[in-house]
Amino acid sequence: MSSPTLAERRERQLAHDRERSEHLAARAERPRRSPDELRALALQASTRFADGETDALLAWVAEEFGHLTAVACSMADAVLPHVLARHIPWVDTLFLETGYHFAETVGTRDAVESSMQLTIVDVMPRQSVAEQDAQYGERLFERDPALCCQLRKVEPLTETLGGYEAWITGVRRDDSPLRADTPFVTWDEKNGLVKINPLADWSFDQVLDYANEHDVILNPLLNDGYPSIGCAPCTRRVAPGEDPRAGRWAGLDKSECGLHT
């Protein structure tokens, strides 16, 4: 089978862009419910979906929240948005544009946006890297990584999540001991919305198997010793047998960026 011509690829991309634009134009908006209402929904769902059942859980998310749902994606892979897009086509997919990403991560983000039925929302810090350097000094990620994550990840995400009722994450129990008890549904007090972790009981191998079965885009760094991918200055390769997140903030007393704590 011959590869598509440049003209065919261009037309396919234009069709993809038209479909996304038409969907966004037709998307019905509705008022955001109160924190008390959302908290009650989270409590009910935490019992109802205590055993996971990914498809049933996401069908409930689609019916209950629709496009007041956001999915957070680090672009280590596109499995989570792919799973969710089957229930909510063109779901808003939040990408934290920290300014410190690997080139492979940015490339994955661009490939996902141009080929999948989702809507990338670039979540930007208030300051560029240069502006942050001017205020706090260069290489803040080395001197105070918690502050760097707060400025470039936590605060921008918190501001963005204010427009949604629920957010979906790819947190898995096998990521690290700190995540071993991750629930499928919980109330996110810090951000004031329902938090869903539909892949909580998936293993890393299950993620890769799903990607292979459904031809889902993977960040090439996954096959280069990086099972957990963050900002380039704060991420190293992981040796065989190490914890998957051992390469994040290696040598520092830090294993989480603050998004899920």
Side-chain angles (χ1 to χ4, degrees):
M1 184 176 179
S2 61
S3 300
T5 65
L6 178 60
E8 289 170 336
R9 292 199 302 270
R10 183 180 294 115
E11 181 55 37
R12 187 167 57 191
Q13 183 64 57
L14 289 172
H16 177 273
D17 292 344
R18 283 196 301 271
E19 185 179 351
R20 177 170 55 197
S21 297
E22 290 167 0
H23 177 85
L24 292 176
R27 194 167 82 177
E29 299 295 341
R30 62 186 184 188
R32 191 175 183 272
R33 285 168 285 194
S34 72
D36 286 343
E37 291 174 297
L38 294 174
R39 187 184 293 106
L41 282 172
L43 180 60
Q44 294 167 7
S46 65
T47 300
R48 179 179 173 185
F49 298 106
D51 296 327
E53 303 174 6
T54 302
D55 281 336
L57 171 58
L58 293 180
W60 171 79
V61 170
E63 180 180 358
E64 193 64 55
F65 305 108
H67 286 282
L68 287 176
T69 305
V71 54
C73 185
S74 66
M75 296 301 165
D77 60 76
V79 169
L80 179 63
H82 185 275
V83 170
L84 186 55
R86 293 186 300 170
H87 297 275
I88 311 177
W90 301 108
V91 64
D92 284 0
T93 302
L94 310 184
F95 175 64
L96 298 178
E97 181 46 275
T98 66
Y100 286 119
H101 285 301
F102 289 98
E104 291 87 344
T105 300
V106 176
T108 300
R109 174 234 176 273
D110 294 345
V112 165
E113 182 177 40
S114 67
S115 63
M116 293 179 60
Q117 279 193 321
L118 48 76
T119 303
I120 296 289
V121 177
D122 288 318
V123 179
M124 310 290 289
R126 292 182 179 180
Q127 295 179 312
S128 67
V129 170
E131 290 169 338
Q132 179 175 294
D133 288 348
Q135 180 172 352
Y136 296 97
E138 295 183 1
R139 305 181 74 81
L140 180 63
F141 51 81
E142 289 183 345
R143 294 179 288 103
D144 193 340
L147 177 58
C148 190
C149 287
Q150 180 71 21
L151 294 172
R152 309 206 70 76
K153 291 184 176 183
V154 179
E155 290 179 1
L157 181 65
T158 296
E159 292 175 6
T160 301
L161 288 177
Y164 301 94
E165 290 188 335
W167 70 303
I168 317 292
T169 87
V171 172
R172 302 193 322 275
R173 293 168 183 167
D174 76 344
D175 283 335
S176 73
L178 290 175
R179 298 181 174 187
D181 297 321
T182 296
F184 292 102
V185 182
T186 189
W187 171 246
D188 182 348
E189 188 69 47
K190 180 171 65 175
N191 292 303
L193 72 174
V194 181
K195 183 177 181 181
I196 299 106
N197 308 298
L199 309 185
D201 63 347
W202 286 35
S203 68
F204 181 62
D205 286 342
Q206 282 179 286
V207 172
L208 296 182
D209 288 345
Y210 181 96
N212 291 330
E213 180 181 352
H214 297 278
D215 196 25
V216 175
I217 295 169
L218 294 175
N219 189 318
L221 292 174
L222 288 177
N223 293 318
D224 192 24
Y226 294 88
S228 181
I229 303 168
C231 293
C234 303
T235 308
R236 66 159 173 80
R237 289 181 175 85
V238 172
E242 277 193 298
D243 184 284
R245 289 180 65 82
R248 305 290 295 276
W249 305 286
L252 300 174
D253 185 21
K254 179 177 173 64
S255 60
E256 294 282 351
C257 61
L259 297 177
H260 304 293
T261 56

